[in-house]
């Protein structure tokens, strides 16, 4: 059975960026999609996390995290007070130019000294599918491009589609990545199971903007990406989160918990349990404070955690049974427990993650 869109009863429609469907539909969560659809429906209006929270029946923290998720991915832009938050419009397609014309128009990226700002990349092009003659010309001109096309087929295990061929031409001619660096990128994409043209285009442009133009720089970049991916996978496994891409702040937090503070998955699970007990859901901000307190106290495993919490419990009990200090001397002597206050909802933790 086939279906079609019936626009009549809707009365009105609003545009949705192609990038939402092409790149993010499989990865974004329910609340993140709700927030973006609401923002698209109210394009041209100012909106903030309190407004979204009330309109969508979400917590203000969830609304803010969803806004930051889309801002990290370039579909929302933060506005100054009194300004609107625009949704970036897609770029107009650019016609395909022969290799000789491209060589005249696009200069290869120039390596700058560390004290100088990195050169801006040319605008991302939307080239039409090259025909057989155009591709043959480029392959005849460049040994490196021939090597790249052959290696790409070996890595991906299939004949290259016109879209993939176009992308590899763009990465080489527009972004300036050497063929051997692009091959390393393809190997990484195959390893993580993300070989779509949208993902490869995003990573290749990020590498070019970061100055990854050598095998050494590419190896360092891949090690960093691998560390971030493994750290987030450990956090997601400990918290039982559905498969999704983390926001930039979630990714940074996971890297800090696993690589910098060295917490095991069982300690991450313990932090998640306390997070859910007090907030009812996964909150990177709350978990960060729990893990930071353990890290500061030198708690490394479950046995030390149990002893640490028993000590805190005994201290609270002793405080309850000890004589209350006089009103004049109470200030500066009272010791508050942040976990206890959070459970009693006396205040809300800052939402900076």
């Amino acid at each position: 059975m086939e279906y079609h869109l019936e626009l009549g009863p809707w009365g009105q429609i609003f545009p949705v960026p192609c990038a939402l469907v092409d790149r993010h539909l499989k990865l974004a969560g329910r609340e993140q999609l709700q927030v973006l659809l609401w923002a698209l429906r109210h394009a041209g209006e100012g909106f903030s996390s309190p407004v979204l929270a009330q309109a969508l029946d979400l917590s203000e923290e969830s609304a803010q995290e969803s806004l930051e998720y889309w801002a990290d991915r370039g579909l929302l832009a933060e506005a100054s007070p009194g300004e609107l938050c625009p949704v970036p419009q897609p770029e107009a397609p650019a016609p395909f130019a022969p290799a000789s014309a491209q060589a005249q128009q696009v200069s290869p990226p120039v390596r700058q000294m560390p004290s100088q700002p990195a050169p801006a990349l040319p605008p991302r092009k939307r080239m039409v599918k090259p025909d057989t003659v155009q591709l043959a010309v480029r392959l005849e001109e460049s040994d490196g491009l021939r090597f790249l096309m052959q290696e790409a087929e070996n890595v991906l295990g299939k004949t290259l589609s016109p879209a993939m061929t176009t992308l590899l031409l763009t990465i080489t001619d527009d972004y300036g990545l050497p063929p051997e660096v692009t091959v390393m990128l393809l190997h990484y994409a195959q390893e993580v199971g993300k070989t779509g043209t949208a993902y490869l285009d995003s990573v290749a442009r990020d590498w070019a903007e970061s100055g990854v133009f050598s095998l050494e720089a590419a190896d360092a970049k891949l090690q960093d990406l691998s560390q971030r991916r493994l750290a987030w996978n450990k956090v997601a496994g400990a918290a039982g989160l559905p498969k999704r891409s983390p926001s930039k702040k979630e990714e940074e937090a996971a890297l800090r918990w696993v690589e910098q503070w060295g917490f095991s998955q069982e300690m991450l699970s313990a932090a998640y349990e306390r997070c859910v007990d007090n907030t009812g859901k996964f909150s990177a901000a709350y978990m960060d404070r729990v893990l930071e307190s353990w890290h500061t106290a030198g708690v490394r495993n479950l046995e030390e955690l149990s002893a640490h919490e028993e000590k805190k419990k005994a201290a609270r009990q002793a405080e309850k049974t000890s004589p209350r200090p006089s009103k004049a001397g109470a200030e500066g002597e009272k010791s508050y427990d942040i976990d206890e206050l959070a459970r009693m909802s006396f205040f809300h933790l800052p939402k900076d993650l």
Side-chain angles (χ1 to χ4, degrees):
M1 180 180 294
E2 296 183 351
Y3 294 85
H4 69 278
L5 268 173
E6 180 57 58
L7 299 180
W10 296 359
Q12 295 180 338
I13 60 175
F14 59 89
V16 175
C18 294
L20 172 61
V21 178
D22 296 343
R23 303 183 184 183
H24 306 295
L25 193 58
K26 291 183 179 180
L27 301 177
R30 177 178 62 84
E31 293 179 350
Q32 293 156 351
L33 290 173
Q34 282 181 303
V35 165
L36 187 60
L37 288 174
W38 190 96
L40 290 169
R41 173 62 181 86
H42 295 82
E45 304 175 15
F47 51 86
S48 60
S49 54
V51 174
L52 287 166
Q54 183 177 5
L56 300 175
D57 194 23
L58 302 174
S59 68
E60 188 173 332
E61 182 179 9
S62 296
Q64 182 63 35
E65 288 179 351
S66 296
L67 286 173
E68 291 175 357
Y69 177 89
W70 292 117
D72 287 343
R73 283 150 180 78
L75 291 182
L76 289 181
E78 186 175 357
S80 302
E83 296 180 346
L84 303 182
C85 296
V87 176
Q89 298 298 317
E91 302 170 12
F96 178 83
S100 57
Q102 289 185 7
Q104 296 175 358
Q105 296 174 3
V106 181
S107 300
V110 179
R111 290 182 176 85
Q112 301 284 342
M113 297 297 292
S115 60
Q116 297 176 325
L121 289 176
R124 184 185 279 112
K125 296 186 177 182
R126 298 289 187 267
M127 300 195 303
V128 299
K129 296 178 181 179
D131 57 29
T132 305
V133 175
Q134 293 167 331
L135 180 58
V137 169
R138 286 296 290 121
L139 291 174
E140 182 67 25
E141 292 175 343
S142 172
D143 293 336
L145 191 58
R146 287 198 302 274
F147 164 78
L148 175 58
M149 296 295 178
Q150 293 170 357
E151 285 300 307
E153 288 194 342
N154 292 335
V155 173
L156 300 177
K158 59 183 179 181
T159 302
L160 300 182
S161 66
M164 183 63 72
T165 302
T166 296
L167 175 60
L168 294 175
L169 285 172
T170 299
I171 292 173
T172 303
D173 293 348
D174 292 349
Y175 301 168
L177 293 188
E180 60 272 19
V181 171
T182 305
V183 170
M184 292 184 69
L185 189 160
L186 290 170
H187 276 286
Y188 174 77
Q190 180 70 16
E191 179 185 345
V192 300
K194 296 182 178 180
T195 56
T197 54
Y199 176 78
L200 290 171
D201 179 56
S202 175
V203 175
R205 187 170 181 85
D206 174 70
W207 284 24
E209 290 172 342
S210 302
V212 182
F213 296 114
S214 68
L215 292 177
E216 294 77 12
D219 183 63
K221 189 73 171 178
L222 288 177
Q223 289 185 24
D224 179 66
L225 287 173
S226 180
Q227 281 187 332
R228 291 171 181 272
R229 178 170 59 89
L230 292 175
W232 174 250
N233 287 344
K234 184 176 287 189
V235 171
L241 298 178
K243 185 177 180 181
R244 65 172 177 85
S245 294
S247 69
K248 187 175 295 184
K249 290 184 177 180
E250 288 176 334
E251 184 181 67
E252 292 293 336
L255 190 67
R256 180 167 58 253
W257 303 340
V258 175
E259 295 296 332
Q260 182 177 338
W261 293 347
F263 282 115
S264 64
Q265 188 155 352
E266 62 181 8
M267 290 295 288
L268 294 172
S269 295
Y272 173 69
E273 289 173 2
R274 286 148 182 79
C275 175
V276 172
D277 287 343
N278 290 282
T279 68
K281 63 174 184 177
F282 171 79
S283 168
Y286 194 94
M287 281 189 62
D288 191 61
R289 280 155 182 76
V290 172
L291 292 168
E292 183 178 19
S293 69
W294 295 351
H295 174 68
T296 302
V299 175
R300 310 307 308 159
N301 53 54
L302 294 181
E303 291 76 14
E304 293 176 354
L305 175 60
S306 178
H308 174 69
E309 292 187 333
E310 285 296 327
K311 183 178 179 180
K312 289 174 61 179
K313 183 179 179 180
R316 286 195 298 268
Q317 188 64 31
E319 184 179 349
K320 290 179 182 178
T321 57
S322 63
R324 293 181 177 273
S326 64
K327 187 174 182 180
E331 187 172 357
E333 298 178 6
K334 184 71 173 177
S335 175
Y336 294 98
D337 188 299
I338 189 171
D339 295 333
E340 183 66 22
L341 290 174
R343 281 192 290 272
M344 297 173 68
S345 300
F346 285 161
F347 68 95
H348 296 289
L349 292 170
K351 305 178 181 67
D352 58 354
L353 279 175

